[in-house]
Amino acid sequence: MTKRGPRVIPFLSKIIETMLEKPDLEDGKITACLQAEYGLSIERIAFLPLGADLNTAVYRVTAKDAVYFLKLRRGDFDEASAVVPAYLHGQGIRQVIPPVTARSGRLWADLPPYKVILYPFVEGLNGFQRSLTDRQWVDFGAAMKQFHTAKIPPEITAGIPRENFSPCWRQIVRIFLAQIPEKVYEEPTAAELAAFLNSKWAATYDLVRRAGRYARLLAKHPPEFILCHGDIHAWNLLIPDEDTFYMVDWDTLIFAPKERDLMFIGGGLGGRGRTPQEEEALFYRGYGQTKIHPAAMAYYRYERIIEDLAIYCEQIFLSDEGGEDRKQSLENVKSNYLPGGTIELALRSDERLNYLKERP
């Protein structure tokens, strides 16, 4: 794709890894955990209604000594999502905010069913609300190059998954596409999503077909794998001012071709105010020259859309829960199909690949 809210051209499912509705968890339990695990004297805790991921919630925590950003993560939790950014910050990548160390010495605490991750609170806007300056775009490229080439000890990254070009998300989307023409959905949001996807059936199935073709190609001849952020787009850029920015949300770390990260550059997810070509020119001025694998770029742009469609279909079709999250998810699905949206940009990547194939 983080952490979610209204977007112009979103890659969806992990854009902003937070929820719009407050979780069923008493503030007193959170306060007690922070006091016991971090030794904080809590004065106020405020839920931040950001995004639409039902597995993550965020809060602003005012303590006697400072203000903190609290993240509660339910379900799968990889320790590397906290340890890696702390390591990168220690290596001098100042655009990474490290988590606060708990009394246990860990970078997280337990509050079942959640993991608690605490950060210094940084006031700022995301990359859709405030555009990166030209200088920041260049610095963004340089910071990503530092990350992509960092020598991180293997004991830190041992549990991080590796890309396997799995057909999982494509299979889920195929199942829903097969059901939609025949099934009646009574819940209004589900009914609206079904009608919309039915009208986009051919275009959606074409995405699945194209992604599958490239997945098979890349599985047979994979490019070099590196450690990738996995979701580094404008919603995961925190920009306090024209001189500073931070790369946030490290929950999606994965060993994969570098295109897993680079697909976002020039993909309409760098914020407003610049063309994809301008984004690329500035970013790669900082990142440096690198050979792009066109098949990997096309695959990741297709697969990201498909993954998000699968996740939102499961959320909306398989449950009536979610409230405002459901409505936001529906709008997120629709936005992929807009002119200049993610589908159009993915198709352009495919056209570039065909062009390269035809060159003498």
Side-chain angles (χ1 to χ4, degrees):
M1 43 161 51
T2 57
K3 294 185 329 196
R4 274 199 237 175
R7 278 147 282 166
V8 178
I9 306 176
F11 282 115
L12 305 174
S13 72
K14 301 180 183 69
I15 292 288
I16 296 293
E17 298 291 352
T18 50
M19 59 179 73
L20 293 174
E21 298 188 347
K22 193 173 185 293
D24 185 18
L25 180 64
E26 296 177 5
D27 288 354
K29 291 184 178 180
I30 300 174
T31 298
C33 175
L34 294 176
Q35 290 173 339
E37 297 288 347
Y38 292 91
L40 298 179
S41 178
I42 305 299
E43 296 179 351
R44 185 169 181 269
I45 180 170
F47 173 70
L48 301 177
L50 304 174
D53 180 358
L54 300 180
N55 288 320
T56 308
V58 297
Y59 294 77
R60 180 187 176 115
V61 176
T62 303
K64 188 175 182 179
D65 63 333
V67 180
Y68 298 90
F69 180 87
L70 171 65
K71 183 174 183 178
L72 299 182
R73 180 72 181 174
R74 180 176 60 190
D76 293 339
F77 173 74
D78 191 333
E79 297 176 4
S81 66
V83 178
V84 166
Y87 181 84
L88 295 174
H89 181 82
Q91 293 299 301
I93 304 181
R94 59 183 178 81
Q95 294 86 0
V96 179
I97 303 172
V100 177
T101 304
R103 284 175 163 176
S104 65
R106 301 184 305 177
L107 296 170
W108 63 91
D110 293 311
L111 181 59
Y114 294 96
K115 294 293 184 181
V116 174
I117 309 98
L118 194 67
Y119 301 86
F121 192 94
V122 177
E123 197 75 52
L125 300 173
N126 65 56
F128 277 110
Q129 297 167 322
R130 172 181 285 159
S131 296
L132 293 171
T133 65
D134 286 1
R135 180 69 256 172
Q136 286 175 321
W137 265 109
V138 176
D139 290 344
F140 179 29
M144 285 300 295
K145 187 68 170 188
Q146 280 185 275
F147 164 52
H148 281 172
T149 57
K151 303 300 183 183
I152 303 176
E155 57 268 24
I156 292 179
T157 61
I160 295 175
R162 293 181 63 85
E163 177 65 78
N164 60 6
F165 308 104
S166 168
C168 171
W169 301 117
R170 300 190 295 277
Q171 291 172 347
I172 291 173
V173 171
R174 284 195 186 98
I175 290 171
F176 282 116
L177 287 177
Q179 293 175 348
I180 283 171
E182 301 177 354
K183 190 169 182 178
V184 176
Y185 297 91
E186 296 184 0
E187 195 276 326
T189 303
E192 186 174 350
L193 177 59
F196 178 80
L197 288 179
N198 196 40
S199 71
K200 303 294 184 181
W201 193 96
T204 306
Y205 189 82
D206 184 55
L207 291 176
V208 174
R209 180 185 61 81
R210 289 170 181 261
R213 181 180 66 196
Y214 287 124
R216 292 187 291 273
L217 172 65
L218 293 168
K220 290 181 180 178
H221 307 286
E224 178 187 2
F225 280 23
I226 63 170
L227 182 60
C228 294
H229 179 287
D231 208 31
I232 191 67
H233 45 69
W235 276 100
N236 283 333
L237 295 177
L238 178 62
I239 311 172
D241 51 49
E242 293 186 353
D243 298 319
T244 313
F245 73 93
Y246 298 98
M247 302 180 292
V248 300
D249 183 13
W250 296 83
D251 290 330
T252 50
L253 287 166
I254 186 172
F255 282 102
K258 64 182 180 297
E259 286 78 12
R260 172 70 185 249
D261 281 345
L262 299 183
M263 70 166 170
F264 295 107
I265 310 306
L269 289 164
R272 302 181 179 90
R274 288 179 180 78
T275 66
Q277 294 76 18
E278 290 170 338
E279 287 181 10
E280 290 178 344
L282 291 167
F283 178 87
Y284 287 109
R285 190 187 304 172
Y287 191 89
Q289 290 187 343
T290 188
K291 185 176 181 180
I292 298 297
H293 195 298
M297 187 70 82
Y299 165 75
Y300 278 117
R301 287 182 173 169
Y302 287 139
E303 189 69 13
R304 182 54 185 263
I305 299 166
I306 292 165
E307 176 183 348
D308 293 325
L309 289 176
I311 290 172
Y312 285 140
C313 283
E314 287 182 331
Q315 177 192 355
I316 293 174
F317 289 141
L318 301 184
S319 171
D320 292 338
E321 299 178 357
E324 291 300 314
D325 291 340
R326 295 171 63 81
K327 296 178 183 178
Q328 183 61 61
S329 296
L330 173 62
E331 295 307 311
N332 291 343
V333 169
K334 290 181 177 180
S335 65
N336 284 281
Y337 297 82
L338 293 173
T342 56
I343 293 176
E344 182 176 307
L345 290 166
L347 290 170
R348 288 180 191 171
S349 296
D350 211 345
E351 291 171 0
R352 181 168 180 257
L353 175 59
N354 290 331
Y355 167 73
L356 293 173
K357 283 181 177 179
E358 292 169 1
R359 292 177 66 184

